[in-house]
Amino acid sequence: MYCWHGGSVVKNTTKKGRTMAHQLMRAVPRLVARRAFSTSLARAGGGAGGMPAWQVNPRNVYEDRPDFPMPNVPYVSELSDAQKALKAKEAGDWKSLSDEELKELYRLKFHKTLAEAEAPTGEWKTVVGGTSLIIALTFVLYIIQKKYAMPAMPETCNYEWQEAMMKKQLQMRNNPVEGLASKWDYENNKWK
Amino acid sequence: MADVPAGRLPKPQMRGLLISHLKRHGAIALVFSMGVTLAYKLAVADPRKRHYEEFYKNYDVKREFEAMKEAGIFNCARPSWEQAAEED
């Protein structure tokens, strides 16, 4: 019987009480004793706790997320003896815990504080730099292909032709109120 | 817990967050949009109306037509300086 979440199971009892969940709960201690599944699901590496990586539920992997700072599992789940003693002390009166012990307990449960997790990483510099580099490369490639690979522009795009087009537009009074012809001084034949 | 500074943080707002957000941002949005509308009226709409008024105040369409004709842009009203080609 393979139990991947290794934790609490909502009991769904039938009249006999011998449901799947019930059997699971009874099987868990046997399976723990036999190391059939990993108690430290924070290590998602394959085979480390007997659990291959593709069987680890990603929701039970520890992650520091600034937008959701409540991970499902504690950071350290395999405790040394000193840490176990500390956890036992935590079960008692909290006023008896010193500052160092409190910090140790915090670090057992979390990897980074919220301030540390939200601290600026400077990643934006890499992003901006990389993007600029690629855009610059694009410019270089475009210039090369414009010079060597692209055919000539049609002659209607040269300067004399464009000048003649604008002259025609002025003669036909194109946009005389607010646009092109409004900027031309017709009495003196020059731009206003 | 000795190194926690004395005094508590002020209790944050626990309820009615949406309505307080809507009130605050609704007021800001109203003021901002009215400001933008006023700026558009002053900078775009009124000058445009003025331009049209000034243009049509002394507009003589016959004079403009003659000027355009002499420039030679029309197909059927050729300028006076163009000698019409004789057709057999």
Side-chain angles (χ1 to χ4, degrees), chain A residues 38-53 56 60-62 73 75 77-78:
Chain A
S38 169
T39 53
S40 167
L41 294 169
R43 283 179 307 174
M51 181 89 68
V56 170
N60 287 344
V61 171
Y62 181 85
V73 294
Y75 180 53
S77 45
E78 284 175 352

Side-chain angles (χ1 to χ4, degrees), chain A residues 41-42 59-63 70-77 108-110:
Chain A
L41 294 169
R59 290 164 80 174
N60 287 344
V61 171
Y62 181 85
E63 188 190 353
M70 291 92 75
N72 280 341
V73 294
Y75 180 53
V76 177
S77 45
L108 285 178
K109 193 136 194 196
F110 297 99

Side-chain angles (χ1 to χ4, degrees), chain A residues 94-95 97-99 102-103 168 171-173 176-178, chain B residues 1-3 47-48 51-52 55-56 64 67-68 71 73:
Chain A
W94 283 350
K95 289 196 176 61
L97 294 166
S98 72
D99 291 341
L102 285 169
K103 287 183 191 169
K168 196 78 178 266
Q171 284 169 347
M172 69 166 84
R173 302 331 188 238
V177 181
E178 281 200 319
Chain B
M1 307 191 192
D3 62 342
R48 188 167 285 167
H51 283 148
Y52 272 86
F55 179 77
Y56 282 111
E64 295 292 321
M68 281 194 246
I73 62 165

Side-chain angles (χ1 to χ4, degrees), chain B residues 24-67:
Chain B
R24 184 175 131 88
H25 287 80
I28 293 172
L30 192 68
V31 169
F32 192 65
S33 54
M34 294 204 302
V36 167
T37 310
L38 190 67
Y40 183 87
K41 176 179 159 52
L42 292 178
V44 178
D46 287 345
R48 188 167 285 167
K49 287 180 189 166
R50 228 178 22 248
H51 283 148
Y52 272 86
E53 270 184 49
E54 284 167 13
F55 179 77
Y56 282 111
K57 204 162 44 168
N58 299 322
Y59 185 66
D60 185 12
V61 65
K62 282 197 188 307
R63 183 191 61 195
E64 295 292 321
F65 172 72
E66 289 300 322

